[in-house]
Amino acid sequence: MSQHINTRYELFSKGIFIDPMIQTSRLQSLVKMIQPKSCSHELIRLGANSDGGYLVPDDLDGIDACFSPGVDDIASFEQDLFNKYQIGSHLADFSVDEIPSGTLALSFTKKFLGANSYEHFISLEDWVDTHAPDASDDSLLLQMDIEGGEYETLLSCPARILSKFRIMVIEFHLIESWAQADFFRIVEAAFRKLLDTHYVIHNHPNNAMGIVELNGFHAPRVFELTFIKKSRTIAGGVAKLPHPMDFKNVDYMPDILLPAQWLD
């Protein structure tokens, strides 16, 4: 044992960190927990038939605004939401200086989302309180693609803010890091928090990054989940995947499906 510890510390000194992988059974339990449920609302597609388009439940009446952190070159989801339903969007991203040309937005905040507000970061709580201080429960929509910052952002967000979002579409990243025990605890806690008030009703793997194997457990490196408030639907059995309106994020790359371990 002492030789093992000494070897581990020697690796630390060389900038190499090693840690046992999380048990495969815990990964399997997590994906079972986030397995999409059938929704009483039909799913519709907003945005392009490629990257930037997402499936949401057809339950948009009464939504006052969308909060959309992570600005792409083309904001097709936000534009579709406005053109078809007259729902405007608040955008945020520190990595760009302005929103895409031709995009209409309620506001643009040049900051990243994070666990709290400091320097070039803003918390989801502060962002919502700034732009929708009087928003009621179920009156907002969240579309989040922030390249791995989603876990800390969601885990630090108070329930009173999350409850305002009737629908959430969130892209999850860093799936290969789920195998690391400390990171897995953060991931698991974030999902448990979301599932207190929302159901997962759709899962679409992003084909841009392919599949990763974690000690026999297979997972898409990036996937998109759609959530709906539990008060808005009667969830049935397991949702059928893939959905007919799912499209590849990157057209020139091979499509991927959720591995069987995610569907059992």
Side-chain angles (χ1 to χ4, degrees), residues 41 57-67 81 87 128 132-142 158-168 194 196-199 227-234:
H41 300 282
D58 189 8
D59 184 22
L60 299 171
D61 287 349
I63 290 184
D64 296 327
C66 171
F67 281 76
L81 194 61
I87 298 173
V128 171
D134 299 322
S136 60
D137 281 4
D138 299 348
S139 66
L140 301 176
L141 188 157
L142 176 68
R160 71 172 185 87
I161 295 294
L162 293 178
S163 70
K164 295 178 186 294
F165 293 108
R166 180 188 306 177
I167 298 166
M168 297 187 289
L194 291 175
D196 278 344
T197 51
H198 291 73
Y199 290 122
F227 298 80
I228 187 171
K229 279 286 292 289
K230 290 181 176 180
S231 59
R232 304 295 303 190
T233 185
I234 299 173

Side-chain angles (χ1 to χ4, degrees), residues 7 35 52 64 122 124 127 140 163 201-202 228 250:
T7 301
Q35 195 171 44
D64 296 327
I122 188 170
L124 184 55
W127 190 32
L140 301 176
S163 70
I201 56 172
H202 187 61
I228 187 171
V250 181

Side-chain angles (χ1 to χ4, degrees), residues 1 33 36 69 82 89 109 126 141 151 158 166 243:
M1 178 63 74
M33 184 170 68
F82 180 78
S89 296
T109 301
D126 287 348
L141 188 157
Y151 303 106
R166 180 188 306 177
H243 192 279

Side-chain angles (χ1 to χ4, degrees), residues 182-198:
D182 290 334
F183 189 74
F184 182 82
R185 283 195 289 270
I186 295 171
V187 172
E188 189 177 45
F191 278 122
R192 288 194 184 280
K193 185 172 188 176
L194 291 175
L195 294 176
D196 278 344
T197 51
H198 291 73

Side-chain angles (χ1 to χ4, degrees), residues 3-260:
Q3 179 61 42
H4 170 74
I5 293 174
N6 289 336
T7 301
R8 194 170 186 230
Y9 286 164
E10 288 172 5
L11 290 172
F12 288 167
S13 69
K14 300 180 187 301
I16 301 172
F17 178 85
I18 58 172
D19 201 37
M21 291 180 66
I22 198 78
Q23 299 97 323
T24 302
S25 61
R26 292 191 65 187
L27 293 168
Q28 188 67 60
S29 294
L30 178 59
V31 300
K32 184 72 173 178
M33 184 170 68
I34 62 173
Q35 195 171 44
K37 298 180 181 297
S38 295
C39 177
S40 53
H41 300 282
E42 181 182 357
L43 296 185
I44 58 175
R45 187 175 185 92
L46 292 176
N49 291 340
S50 58
D51 199 37
Y54 302 97
L55 268 60
V56 300
D58 189 8
D59 184 22
L60 299 171
D61 287 349
I63 290 184
D64 296 327
C66 171
F67 281 76
S68 183
V71 177
D72 201 352
D73 294 334
I74 301 174
S76 63
F77 178 86
E78 295 82 358
Q79 284 297 96
D80 231 6
L81 194 61
F82 180 78
N83 292 338
K84 294 178 179 178
Y85 298 94
Q86 291 73 57
I87 298 173
S89 296
H90 298 283
L91 307 180
D93 196 326
F94 182 75
S95 68
V96 298
D97 292 325
E98 58 186 16
I99 62 177
S101 177
T103 301
L104 297 174
L106 297 174
S107 70
F108 171 65
T109 301
K110 187 176 169 56
K111 288 183 181 289
F112 291 129
L113 252 65
N116 58 345
S117 299
Y118 70 100
E119 297 178 354
H120 52 268
F121 286 87
I122 188 170
S123 69
L124 184 55
E125 178 183 16
D126 287 348
W127 190 32
V128 171
D129 280 344
T130 297
H131 294 288
D134 299 322
S136 60
D137 281 4
D138 299 348
S139 66
L140 301 176
L141 188 157
L142 176 68
Q143 188 272 304
M144 178 186 290
D145 180 6
I146 55 175
E147 307 300 328
E150 57 272 11
Y151 303 106
E152 62 176 271
T153 296
L154 294 166
L155 194 54
S156 65
C157 186
R160 71 172 185 87
I161 295 294
L162 293 178
S163 70
K164 295 178 186 294
F165 293 108
R166 180 188 306 177
I167 298 166
M168 297 187 289
V169 183
I170 305 172
E171 188 161 285
F172 289 92
H173 306 78
L174 306 177
I175 311 307
E176 61 275 10
S177 297
W178 287 15
Q180 202 279 325
D182 290 334
F183 189 74
F184 182 82
R185 283 195 289 270
I186 295 171
V187 172
E188 189 177 45
F191 278 122
R192 288 194 184 280
K193 185 172 188 176
L194 291 175
L195 294 176
D196 278 344
T197 51
H198 291 73
Y199 290 122
V200 177
I201 56 172
H202 187 61
N203 186 337
H204 177 249
N206 188 321
N207 74 315
M209 301 297 291
I211 299 288
V212 62
E213 181 182 353
L214 306 173
N215 193 27
F217 178 81
H218 295 80
R221 292 180 183 272
V222 178
F223 60 89
E224 304 149 356
L225 293 186
T226 302
F227 298 80
I228 187 171
K229 279 286 292 289
K230 290 181 176 180
S231 59
R232 304 295 303 190
T233 185
I234 299 173
V238 177
K240 186 177 179 180
L241 297 172
H243 192 279
M245 286 186 292
D246 280 332
F247 291 91
K248 294 191 293 185
N249 295 73
V250 181
D251 186 60
Y252 60 83
M253 296 183 67
D255 202 2
I256 62 173
L257 299 175
L258 283 174

